[in-house]
Amino acid sequence: MSNETPQAGDLLVRVGAIVFLVGAVATLATVAPLFLGADPLPPAAYFVCMLMGVGFLVAGAGVLRSIAEQRRQAREAAGSVSAR
């Protein structure tokens, strides 16, 4: 376990990674019958594959939020140094 405090955006990155992995597993599950010669899965399974993109966007939003928070902290630190 890490001793670091959670930063802004960390939760979004973790949730995005989990959603992406669910979409990746769904993609593998929907492509496998095509290679194995089995009947294809129903269309609903193909819609679950779109979770890969959704997870990527959620994780990206978390990264951008983390960047914004770090920039804000840097601006505040620079402001307090120049005020001296």
Side-chain angles (χ1 to χ4, degrees), residues 16-79:
I18 292 168
V19 171
F20 181 87
L21 288 175
V22 169
V25 170
T27 300
L28 291 174
T30 55
V31 172
L34 301 174
F35 289 115
L36 300 175
D39 292 332
L41 296 175
Y46 290 93
F47 289 116
V48 176
C49 295
M50 294 182 191
L51 288 177
M52 283 181 70
V54 172
F56 187 77
L57 289 174
V58 170
V63 169
L64 291 175
R65 184 172 181 202
S66 178
I67 290 170
E69 180 66 21
Q70 289 177 4
R71 292 179 95 183
R72 185 188 63 76
Q73 290 174 354
R75 259 187 268 119
E76 287 177 358

